[in-house]
Amino acid sequence: RRSLQVTANMRRYRCAPAAALLCGALFPPVACLPTAAGGRTARHAAFASYRGEAVSDASMEVVRGAVPDWLRGAYLRNGPGLFEAGERRLRHWFDGYALLTRVQLSGGETPPRLTTRFVETDALTAARAGSLGYAEFQTPLSEPGGGVAGALRSLAALAAGDPTDNCCVNLVRHGGDLVAMTETQRSWRAIDPATLKSRGRVPWAAGSRLGVLGTAHPHPDPAGGGGLINVATDISPPFFSSYQVYTVSAQPPWHRQLLASIPCDDRAAPRWLHSFGVTDRSVVVIEQPAAYDVPAMLGVRSASHGTLDWLPERGTRVHVLDRRSGAVEVHVVQPPFFFFHVCNTFEADGAVCVDLCAFDDPEIVSSLSLERLTDDSQARDLPRSRVVRLSLPRRGGGDGGGDADGGAAPELVPLDDVSVSGGFADLPTINPRVAGCADYRFVYGIGAARPTPVSNRLVKTDVAGRGGDAAFEVAGMLPGEPLFVPRP
């Protein structure tokens, strides 16, 4: 596809490739990434805090390419935009405070218009007042060895179900609202899609609380009804931690209805869940052996990967919930894998298939620390990952079933061309019209022209293996998460 570049207020912003795939610059979304500069300059700019004023409906100039006549609507993005809380520097890219970007596209010669705004949260309010008010994903309230006060505050917040509300990960449309969220249940905030102003926390129905944490990638419920489906993590060590599969009603006040509670492999150390797979019949919860280390979360010590401990000897356990019967089949994958995102989930030939971007281990989490991203002496080549298909044979065996009791083992098969992807794949998206379809063909995501410490190209992967793989890159630019827009 052709690329589209736009300029506003003497800054240059990347907001395409055009045609059918939109892509924002790596966060902060409004960082100035010079087109003539090398990847190092782009990387330093992309992972610096944005300290400019909010932008409201600013006119933008197309300086390269063209907006297709049919491409009309609001392109919305969420991501970390501020990495300091007073004098405290946050540790990780995922920890930055949420900054929203809206680009209004009206097709053809009409100039795009830009709006940006930080999400007003308790966490951001504390940071602007000069303190770290809440522990973030990889930033505890107190540094290891920093005393017990911060650890006790973190423990109290965790026990009370009052973790951070810094909703910096995703934007989801639901029930007529636009919702920003991260991996805590209290973080869901309704957003005005035109102004990006926060309307406050979503209206959860009384008595429908589930878990403290939850994935930031809920799915539209394929069973219909206009609701969502998601997975929460109830952290209740040492005996009661579990994953809770639930639906969210389509209309406010939003009610969370429990479908199933799946015991954690280790009740004292639940695993980190960032996303999951779903079909109209099944929910697939992938319990990778990246365990929350509670002492590391409290700032008492450091785990192998920040606040996560990698336990490869446990294998990757995959739970397949049959929504019709309530039965749960368990598959164990060895050697284990680590992942962030699912591309697509479907059922075919007696198996549930999950296409995802898989890593050998969670080294990618360490690679995305701000120290690695901004300090040239710490920068390393990106860890390797691939688009793979995880096929889980159905047996109807119930809890503890699957290959755990001698059935056919799951298969993990690569689908991508590493000569195109550079041996890196993540932030996948597909045409939403083919979600859940076994015969879908393309996954769009980010890849790497190596050596590089950050992704620097967009990649199209032909999962059917028919040679349709392709890559797109611009020197000195960093791509963000692509968004597929079907041609009308």
Side-chain angles (χ1 to χ4, degrees), residues 7 47 58-59 81 90 100 113 131 145 245 270 277 337 346 362 391:
T7 298
F47 299 104
S59 180
L90 301 179
L100 303 178
R113 305 195 72 85
S131 67
V245 182
F337 63 87
F346 57 88
S391 298

Side-chain angles (χ1 to χ4, degrees), residues 260-286:
S261 182
I262 301 173
C264 298
D265 177 38
D266 183 347
R267 296 291 191 108
R271 310 301 193 244
W272 180 48
L273 300 180
H274 186 71
S275 63
F276 64 102
V278 64
T279 69
D280 59 356
R281 176 183 173 185
S282 303
V283 179
V284 182
V285 179
I286 301 176

Side-chain angles (χ1 to χ4, degrees), residues 77-91:
R77 273 290 172 244
N78 184 9
L82 177 68
F83 298 104
E84 290 82 26
E87 298 299 318
R88 185 84 178 272
R89 172 76 165 169
L90 301 179
R91 288 184 176 182

Side-chain angles (χ1 to χ4, degrees), residues 310-322:
W310 183 239
L311 308 171
E313 68 279 2
R314 307 291 297 194
T316 296
R317 296 174 67 86
V318 185
H319 308 268
V320 181
L321 167 66
D322 188 319

Side-chain angles (χ1 to χ4, degrees), residues 107-189:
E109 300 299 320
T110 304
R113 305 195 72 85
L114 174 70
T115 298
T116 69
R117 185 179 295 274
F118 279 98
V119 183
E120 297 298 329
T121 62
D122 296 343
L124 179 64
T125 298
R128 284 174 167 168
S131 67
L132 182 66
Y134 297 85
E136 300 296 340
F137 172 62
Q138 292 284 307
T139 305
L141 280 174
S142 64
E143 298 288 357
V148 298
L152 291 176
R153 286 173 59 203
S154 293
L155 182 61
L158 190 63
D162 192 36
T164 183
D165 63 346
N166 175 28
C167 45
C168 64
V169 175
N170 200 6
L171 282 171
V172 173
R173 283 199 175 274
H174 180 57
D177 285 324
L178 182 67
V179 183
M181 63 188 65
T182 188
E183 294 176 337
T184 67
Q185 296 281 37
R186 74 182 290 264
S187 70
W188 289 32
R189 282 189 174 265

Side-chain angles (χ1 to χ4, degrees), residues 451-477:
T452 177
V454 292
S455 169
N456 52 12
R457 63 169 48 164
L458 291 170
V459 174
K460 180 174 74 170
T461 296
D462 185 348
V463 299
R466 299 202 293 251
D469 299 72
F472 171 86
E473 61 190 271
V474 175
M477 301 296 292

